[in-house]
Amino acid sequence: MKIGFFTTTYYPTPDGVSHYLRDVKHELEKRGHEVHVFSFNGDRHEKNVHIPTTIPFPVYPQYRMPLNPFPMYMYKIAKRIGFDVIHIHDPFMGSIGYRLAKAMGIPVVATFHTDFVRMKESLKMPFKEILFSLSWRYNSYLYRKCNLVLAPSLKTMEYLREMGIRNTEELPLFVDTWKYKSCEKHMDPFIVQYLGRITRDKGVFRVLDVAEATGSQSGVKFIISGTGPDAETIEKEAGRRGLLDRVTFTGYVDEKKKIELLSAANVFIYPSDTDTFGISVLEALSSGMPAIIPEGFPLTHYDGKEDSGLLVVDFCKPGAVSEEIIGLKADAERMSMLNTAARAFATGNFSMEKHCDRLLGIYGKFIASAELARAVATA
């Protein structure tokens, strides 16, 4: 089948959505399907990736925006290709995909990857309350008109239904367990790793609170990796607090370096309250390490949290989180158990093959319905 992805972000943009879409595209192509990506960001040299002329997004330079705010020639390119199904991954580029699907009489599926409204505290821009409110209203309006909205977690599905988007079901994401695999961990130094966007909505400043509570004599080192609008601010804050002896900032890391960091770390820390799934947490679990996460994190609805390598804490109490980390450092037996559990949880529940099987099943169901409707209309 011919599949059109419409998304604001695509690989190698440093975020979870762009990497997810790259992996799904390649898997579906391996199975003989033709996948085209229409995006504002990404590698123009990759086959079937279509990107308009863009400029850096001023308030978030790792992303780009089209020079023409209405790149309708992308619509014309997509219409010439002709698709069986459209899959939109945000409300911005997704608007073009939705219009195309309706014009062609084909199904349109959406995935709710990012809650943009909860990102507003990380962005400094005029009239952001109004802009984010309008963005959410349009987002919910557009997604209600799609055939189906996929939510990457049960928590996100319930959130969407509370917000009036009823045509939704859960489709968990996946991890490449061959790429992110367990290896022997060294306990000295004991490394606590954060990896993700450097923004307040990800809770990354809470890592500094925990590092401060842990103390310089604990033998625990913290590494913060990633890029984002608050990268410079958090480094200055770490210096102001006198934490640079135990907190290291790597900046943006590519795929190879990310694998190296996750292989070397002992514990993953991810204080975000805004994630719809948390792919970096899953990559850490697959790499054979426990992950410290907040209450209500999307993955916590799975039973037996210790059996999954997930350690749920209250980040409003950095002293208690610090005690948990120091306790792990002192308990090699428990760490070994958690490492094994984390790896087993990732490999047993989140495979790319199962994810793509379900995705193709969803596409096929709606394509068949659309074909039947057209046949009835012309009979």
Side-chain angles (χ1 to χ4, degrees):
M1 65 182 75
K2 282 189 179 181
I3 304 159
F5 286 170
F6 286 77
T7 171
T8 295
T9 178
Y10 186 67
Y11 185 83
T13 308
D15 64 32
V17 175
S18 71
H19 287 67
Y20 159 79
L21 291 174
R22 184 270 313 266
D23 292 343
V24 171
K25 178 176 182 286
H26 289 182
E27 175 65 19
L28 296 181
E29 287 173 338
K30 278 194 330 189
R31 299 187 185 198
H33 303 286
E34 184 178 328
V35 183
H36 290 256
V37 175
F38 295 82
S39 178
F40 298 151
N41 302 264
D43 182 359
R44 298 172 187 272
H45 301 294
E46 183 178 332
K47 183 182 177 182
N48 294 339
V49 173
H50 311 274
I51 301 171
T53 304
T54 59
I55 57 174
F57 186 36
V59 297
Y60 215 141
Q62 81 183 70
Y63 294 107
R64 300 182 68 84
M65 57 188 289
L67 201 57
N68 176 359
F70 303 102
M72 293 309 293
Y73 79 92
M74 300 283 279
Y75 173 95
K76 293 177 182 177
I77 292 171
K79 196 167 185 181
R80 280 202 303 271
I81 295 168
F83 292 107
D84 298 302
V85 62
I86 298 295
H87 194 154
I88 66 175
H89 296 273
D90 63 68
F92 308 113
M93 196 63 165
S95 295
I96 297 176
Y98 175 80
R99 288 175 178 271
L100 176 70
K102 291 304 162 185
M104 297 178 66
I106 61 175
V108 55
V109 174
T111 295
F112 185 81
H113 291 284
T114 307
D115 189 348
F116 296 100
V117 175
R118 296 184 186 180
M119 292 174 60
K120 65 183 177 183
E121 298 306 320
S122 299
L123 300 179
K124 297 174 183 177
M125 57 190 297
F127 311 111
K128 70 177 180 181
E129 293 293 336
I130 296 172
L131 289 172
F132 275 91
S133 175
L134 290 173
S135 171
W136 171 250
R137 289 182 188 180
Y138 179 70
N139 196 7
S140 57
Y141 166 79
L142 178 65
Y143 281 12
R144 281 197 297 269
K145 293 173 76 67
C146 294
N147 293 91
L148 182 68
V149 180
L150 299 171
S153 65
L154 184 63
K155 176 186 176 183
T156 304
M157 184 185 75
E158 291 171 347
Y159 169 70
L160 290 173
R161 289 182 175 178
E162 287 171 4
M163 301 303 288
I165 302 173
R166 304 288 181 182
N167 54 327
T168 182
E169 67 178 62
E170 182 192 14
L171 177 60
L173 303 186
F174 57 83
V175 63
D176 187 337
T177 55
W178 291 101
K179 185 187 297 182
Y180 299 97
K181 50 191 174 184
S182 185
C183 60
E184 184 181 356
K185 306 285 185 181
H186 301 286
M187 301 288 278
D188 187 22
F190 192 84
I191 298 172
V192 179
Q193 176 76 54
Y194 169 88
L195 200 153
R197 283 189 288 112
I198 309 299
T199 60
R200 290 188 183 275
D201 64 281
K202 291 292 186 182
V204 65
F205 283 82
R206 295 172 175 175
V207 179
L208 297 188
D209 298 336
V210 175
E212 192 169 25
T214 302
S216 59
Q217 304 303 312
S218 63
V220 177
K221 300 294 183 183
F222 292 80
I223 299 177
I224 295 177
S225 301
T227 185
D230 288 318
E232 185 177 345
T233 304
I234 195 171
E235 289 197 47
K236 287 181 178 177
E237 178 65 12
R240 187 188 69 77
R241 296 197 203 182
L243 298 176
L244 295 180
D245 62 331
R246 73 202 83 151
V247 181
T248 299
F249 296 90
T250 68
Y252 168 73
V253 293
D254 61 19
E255 197 85 356
K256 181 181 177 183
K257 183 62 176 176
K258 179 167 74 168
I259 293 168
E260 290 174 2
L261 288 169
L262 293 177
S263 296
N266 300 94
V267 175
F268 195 73
I269 188 167
Y270 202 71
S272 173
D273 291 319
T274 63
D275 272 52
T276 58
F277 183 75
I279 190 64
S280 59
V281 171
L282 198 55
E283 289 168 348
L285 296 172
S286 183
S287 300
M289 74 172 112
I292 298 176
I293 54 175
E295 296 174 358
F297 194 79
L299 292 170
T300 58
H301 70 274
Y302 286 88
D303 292 333
K305 296 182 184 65
E306 282 244 339
D307 291 338
S308 64
L310 296 168
L311 302 174
V312 180
V313 301
D314 182 356
F315 278 100
C316 293
K317 300 175 181 177
V321 181
S322 169
E323 288 178 11
E324 177 76 51
I325 291 169
I326 293 171
L328 290 171
K329 182 178 184 296
D331 192 341
E333 185 177 344
R334 184 180 177 215
M335 278 297 298
S336 178
M337 181 273 291
L338 287 169
N339 293 346
T340 302
R343 174 69 181 173
F345 176 68
T347 56
N349 294 285
F350 302 100
S351 80
M352 181 192 297
E353 291 75 17
K354 289 180 181 177
H355 179 93
C356 289
D357 285 347
R358 276 200 59 199
L359 197 58
L360 289 170
I362 289 165
Y363 292 163
K365 178 180 71 173
F366 285 113
I367 290 170
S369 295
E371 289 175 347
L372 179 60
R374 283 194 294 269
V376 169
T378 56

